[in-house]
Amino acid sequence: MAMAARLRSTATKALSLRSTISPPSQQLRNYASGTASKEVKVKVPVAMFGGSGNYASALFIAAAKANALEKVESELADFVAATTKASTFSQFMKDLAVPADTRVKAINEVSAQAKFSDVTKNFLVVLADNGRLRHVDTIAKRFSDLTMAHRGEVKAIVTTVIPLPAEEEKELKATLQEILGKGKKVHLEQKIDPSILGGLVVEFGQKVFDMSIKTRARQMERFLRDPVNFDA
């Protein structure tokens, strides 16, 4: 049975067995420090802030200690992808009226059926217990940012009106790779946005290279209004 189907089935069953008693909330720091040997020291490659950043960092530390970064990244991505296809389970995750123990039971069942590693299962249990399952997609993205940084990869997001042809994508990636230099690897992610009208926008590290027709048109408009004080 596909994971999305399992999620729908699990959510339906869990909602029909709601309990009124919730277990004590688990502490995120205990998850990060208790998954593997405390003697293993792990440094998060990129500082993360906010709630989703804290959860992603805790997961990175736990997965690194267990030497399971790639496996956990893959499992978490599979889980997020499956939830987008299972509307019942998606609503189940967002419903804070569902008691914590019901959410935890559902996650344990899904994790067992999907044969998730202990690191992934325990992390999803923490999210379920703390009412944070509704943020799992954001947390997964930030966790991916951490694993990419760990591998020396830098994400570049290129926004265009239509998908870039393979040859142009290759050339752009090579150009960005030259800017990065040795020791880093470009991970190119394409994004489609018809509103830019044409051209492209590249978000690369902390920089944004805006070469869209929309932005050029605005610059031209400002120039026509005030050519003396125009600053491109």
Side-chain angles (χ1 to χ4, degrees), residues 10 20 68 77 122 125 152 172:
T10 300
T20 58
N122 293 340
V125 165
L172 176 59

Side-chain angles (χ1 to χ4, degrees), residues 29 31-42 59-69 119:
R29 61 178 178 273
Y31 166 77
S33 62
T35 303
S37 172
K38 295 182 180 180
E39 296 179 359
V40 179
K41 295 187 181 298
V42 176
L59 178 57
F60 179 88
I61 292 172
K65 286 181 177 180
N67 195 28
L69 282 171
V119 176

